[in-house]
Amino acid sequence: MAESTAPRRGRWLLLAVLALVLYGIVRAAGTPSTPEAPARPSAGPSASRTAPRTSGPPPAPRTSVPPPAPRTSVPLPAPASAGYDPADYAAQVRARARQAGVSARLVMAILYNESYKPHDPSFERAWQKYKPDAAFGIADMHRATFDEVKRGRPFAGRRWEELPDDRDLAIEAEAWYLRDLADRLPAHWAGPYTKDELLALGYNTGAGNMLAFARGATPGSQARSYLDRLRANWAEAGRAVGAH
């Protein structure tokens, strides 16, 4: 019996030693060799709320600044008077000339002389902002002349600013201005011009120059050009108002 139990005891002893060795290996594998590093916070929205605040203000966001717009001049409105024909106002010319006691043909010829300008209300007002002393209306009358002519006349309550919109008013003021010029002419004059030509020169250059021309003074280049245009428009003006 002693010979049969000895080998058993040896086997049990060997199993026990192996078990102890295996247990030591398992324990060694489960124990960390260094402390575990703390987990880094995520970069999400919650991380920004828990992050420590700095002492200085946050940097301002960088924005792009648009370049300044180039300065441009304000353009004038395009003339819109295409198709304007003084002959369309022949009835008004005859009526206003008769009231003022002047030649309807002369009133119409002066309208033709002044028709080279674009007689559009918006254009005239825009131009007047650049040139305050500009003339208004289809008869091209300046403010001072209109304010003087309207005194004691049926249109005394009207304003110079209305001339671009009211062409009949422009014709009425023209006719009465020619009447005022005619009243200043002497009964006889030495110059080579007719009464209507002198009145047209006075309408263009003023009463003082008109009287000088009547005394024999020679008109300047501008006045001569105006008189040449009047003569060129004379026949057409006569046809427009039915003059013979």
Side-chain angles (χ1 to χ4, degrees), residues 60-207:
R62 298 181 62 184
T63 57
S64 59
V65 179
R71 297 182 63 181
T72 57
S73 59
V74 180
L76 291 175
S81 60
Y84 163 66
D85 186 353
D88 294 338
Y89 297 88
Q92 290 89 336
V93 167
R94 286 191 294 265
R96 299 307 183 184
R98 183 169 57 252
Q99 291 171 359
V102 295
S103 165
R105 188 174 193 173
L106 174 61
V107 173
M108 179 62 75
I110 289 177
L111 289 182
Y112 273 109
N113 266 33
E114 305 295 347
S115 65
Y116 72 95
K117 291 184 177 181
H119 293 296
D120 173 71
S122 61
F123 181 86
E124 286 191 20
R125 290 191 173 91
W127 178 248
Q128 196 261 344
K129 291 179 180 179
Y130 287 90
K131 189 177 179 182
D133 62 341
F136 264 3
I138 57 175
D140 277 340
M141 185 167 288
H142 292 277
R143 183 193 298 270
T145 302
F146 179 83
D147 289 343
E148 181 180 352
V149 169
K150 74 177 185 179
R151 294 173 184 170
R153 301 281 162 65
F155 56 99
R158 305 296 295 275
R159 296 182 301 113
W160 174 76
E161 289 83 359
E162 300 177 62
L163 290 177
D165 301 296
D166 192 337
R167 292 180 171 179
D168 180 58
L169 176 62
I171 295 169
E172 185 178 15
E174 176 201 352
W176 282 105
Y177 183 39
L178 290 171
R179 171 60 184 271
D180 288 345
L181 292 171
D183 290 343
R184 298 189 62 175
L185 272 179
H188 305 283
W189 52 88
Y193 307 109
T194 67
K195 177 181 178 180
D196 287 336
E197 289 176 343
L198 283 174
L199 293 177
L201 288 171
Y203 192 90
N204 178 244
T205 64

Side-chain angles (χ1 to χ4, degrees), residues 19-34:
L20 289 173
V21 172
L22 182 60
Y23 177 77
I25 294 173
V26 172
R27 287 293 305 273
T31 302
S33 59
T34 58

Side-chain angles (χ1 to χ4, degrees), residues 55 71 136 185 209 224 233 236:
S55 59
R71 297 182 63 181
F136 264 3
L185 272 179
N209 287 321
R224 288 198 306 271
N233 291 324
E236 189 170 7

